[in-house]
Amino acid sequence: MNSKHVPVLIVGAGPVGLSLAGDLGWRGVNCRLVEQSDGSIYQPKMDMVGIRTMEFCRRWGIAKDVEYSPYPRDYPQDNVWVESLTGYEFGREPMVSKAEEPIPQQSPQKRERCPQDMFDPILQRFVSKFPQAEISYRTEFVSFEEHDDKVVAKLKNLETGEIETVTADYLVGTDGGSSSVREQSGIRMEGKPVLTYTTNVIFRCKDLPSLHDKGKAYRFIFIGREGTWLTIVAIDGADRWRMSVVGGAEKRKFSEDEINALIIRAMGKPFEFEIESIMPWVRRQLVADTYSTKRVFLAGDSCHLTSPTGGFGMNTGIADAVDLAWKLEAVHKGWGGDVLLQSYSIERQPVAVRAVTEAGGNLERMLETRKKGPPEAAFHPGPEGDKARKEYGDWYTEIMRREWYSIGIHLGFTYYDSPVIWKDGSVAPPDEVSNYVQTGRPGHRAPHVWMKDGRSTLDLFGRGFVLLKLAPTDAKTNLFESAAQDRGVPLQVVDISDEDNVRALYGADLALVRPDGHVAWRGDAVPANTGDILDVVRGVTDYASVQAAKGQPVGAVAGA
């Protein structure tokens, strides 16, 4: 690879940047990923790999690596609300370990617990498999200029101080909430700039559960007379813990003595521990007004910042990367059009708004205790105290449950309104948080079904388009094949009409699925205008223009 020019330059090697580089490498697209740090993780910012992200990991062949990361699979995942670890318990949401948690019927995978200091190395190894993907650590992104035909970027080697000029066809900023790429692009963030000023503390304590009677749990939420003030999370299921002083809208700096006092208050008695690191941060609810210019794109925290309540941030960002990667591949290899890249922001921005709004609601519910604190009796022993704690705990458990069960947020987003989706006029299914009903409606994630050979239908998707035959039919799929061949579009026809329940889930005899696993078109027959359909889904033109040229309303019947 010529290091002075690369098709795609990516800035920021967190989970989103690594996922984008890995997916591009997996697709055979040369890219370079630059990161100013050495890649070490001292403050893991995430620990939940969502179900959709696990489906991507399955596609990449790394799902088992995530499942069997060092995080103990037998560690209980309870969420517990307490006065202190040695004080009163108000209630809990019992949750089984990852080994015991069943795989939901909607997916071949389930969410996994894999902290960032375990997940990033898995992604790094994935990227390193591909000679097309180069990672440059200790390399600072300095600036860029965007031209009609390229991006010119300046990079600084932090070991030598050398300045390097690199040209790229496209630049992608996955460089976090303070994104230099976003700032230099002039793209603005909109929403709530401050939800809370929070301080994270990583501390070590061997056998912490043996020091109290609450047992092992993933997350403890501490509620005092002032309401929710602190959380502690089991980072590695061993001796590392993340304490978050939740804070409020007023900025506050804590001394180390104050941090020590808060840890002891959380325990309810003095004990031995070691503070590893302290990191103040601002909880925000922001989404970029656009995700792209002509040749510059944003993904992950660079274009959406959310409260971590719900675990949507990184998972939304990795879905950004997957959406963008196949579109960059298509344009780079010559079979995708300009509308395809324009569709990235159109598709992904509403998904982020939906996720950050839900996460903000989760935070409000977690902090509802500041408006409705425990009654005084709940802090005293005896039957009256027991009753007060149970009533308060039951209330809190009920309002918090929505955060723990959010499969609809992870799988239920849709691209139906995208310009590169062929509409079929169908009614949108209910958008639910804790439930997800699979649908083959265009724009939605293609449904999972276990096939007779033990594979998931999701295992069919990833490389090129897939035209599924979902019912016995005499449909002339060769019309799609010839139109795709004429346009250089990778397309494979797969007949799964003998598989149980596929026709019912997809809602048609035929479905065209994109490389990212979303349905692009469906119908009961192959229409004569297969060329128009392919030109829309590959972004040479957009759906509205094709319909307007025919004098038909947007959202006309499938295949029209």
Side-chain angles (χ1 to χ4, degrees), residues 207-491:
D207 298 325
L208 181 70
S210 69
L211 303 179
H212 59 79
D213 62 354
K214 305 301 184 293
K216 292 181 178 180
Y218 161 66
R219 186 183 191 192
F220 292 96
I221 295 178
F222 294 82
I223 304 173
R225 289 174 174 82
E226 71 270 46
T228 300
W229 63 281
L230 189 88
T231 67
I232 290 181
V233 166
I235 292 181
D236 60 358
D239 64 346
R240 294 182 80 213
W241 309 87
R242 181 176 67 237
M243 181 181 85
S244 295
V245 186
V246 180
E250 297 297 321
K251 192 171 184 178
R252 169 78 194 278
K253 184 177 181 179
F254 293 92
S255 68
E256 189 164 335
D257 286 345
E258 288 175 310
I259 294 294
N260 286 329
L262 291 173
I263 296 175
I264 291 172
R265 178 188 172 189
M267 173 59 74
K269 65 179 182 181
F271 70 108
E272 292 186 5
F273 58 88
E274 176 189 354
I275 294 176
E276 278 193 359
S277 61
I278 300 173
M279 184 183 74
W281 59 284
V282 184
R283 194 186 309 252
R284 308 183 192 274
Q285 186 171 319
L286 299 169
V287 178
D289 56 10
T290 181
Y291 282 17
S292 65
T293 61
K294 182 179 180 181
R295 292 188 174 273
V296 180
F297 299 86
L298 303 175
D301 284 358
S302 70
C303 54
H304 46 79
L305 288 167
T306 179
S307 170
T309 39
F312 306 133
M314 181 206 71
N315 293 292
T316 303
I318 290 180
D320 294 340
V322 170
D323 185 275
L324 183 58
W326 79 269
K327 294 173 179 178
L328 289 171
E329 176 201 13
V331 174
H332 175 68
K333 294 182 177 178
W335 56 267
D338 291 342
V339 180
L340 199 59
L341 294 180
Q342 295 166 15
S343 74
Y344 168 66
S345 183
I346 295 169
E347 291 184 354
R348 293 303 303 167
Q349 188 189 46
V351 177
V353 170
R354 176 175 176 264
V356 304
T357 302
E358 181 63 24
N362 287 338
L363 176 66
E364 290 177 3
R365 284 181 283 276
M366 186 178 85
L367 300 183
E368 187 68 20
T369 54
R370 296 182 177 181
K371 300 176 184 176
K372 180 184 175 182
E376 183 58 31
F379 296 101
H380 298 281
E384 186 178 342
D386 293 340
K387 179 182 178 183
R389 284 186 287 276
K390 184 178 187 311
E391 289 179 352
Y392 192 80
D394 287 350
W395 164 76
Y396 195 62
T397 300
E398 185 60 33
I399 68 168
M400 289 294 290
R401 185 165 289 131
R402 174 172 174 146
E403 179 176 341
W404 320 133
Y405 302 100
S406 56
I407 189 172
I409 297 295
H410 288 273
L411 296 182
F413 59 87
T414 178
Y415 303 147
Y416 187 83
D417 294 326
S418 169
V420 296
I421 292 294
W422 195 272
K423 316 318 184 250
D424 68 354
S426 58
V427 176
D431 184 7
E432 300 176 284
V433 172
S434 300
N435 185 44
Y436 175 64
V437 177
Q438 298 194 91
T439 175
R441 184 174 183 254
H444 291 255
R445 162 191 168 274
H448 151 74
V449 178
W450 287 116
M451 297 187 291
K452 294 181 175 68
D453 63 4
R455 292 181 300 162
S456 164
T457 48
L458 272 57
D459 298 331
L460 302 173
F461 314 135
R463 300 190 183 278
F465 284 85
V466 175
L467 180 62
L468 295 176
K469 296 178 69 174
L470 300 158
T473 176
D474 294 328
K476 298 178 180 179
T477 57
N478 63 299
L479 293 178
F480 263 116
E481 292 175 281
S482 60
Q485 186 174 8
D486 291 344
R487 291 160 172 79
V489 176
L491 182 141

Side-chain angles (χ1 to χ4, degrees), residues 438-440 447 470 499-508 522:
Q438 298 194 91
T439 175
L470 300 158
E499 301 289 348
D500 298 335
N501 204 34
V502 290
R503 172 60 176 79
L505 278 176
Y506 279 79
R522 68 176 175 178

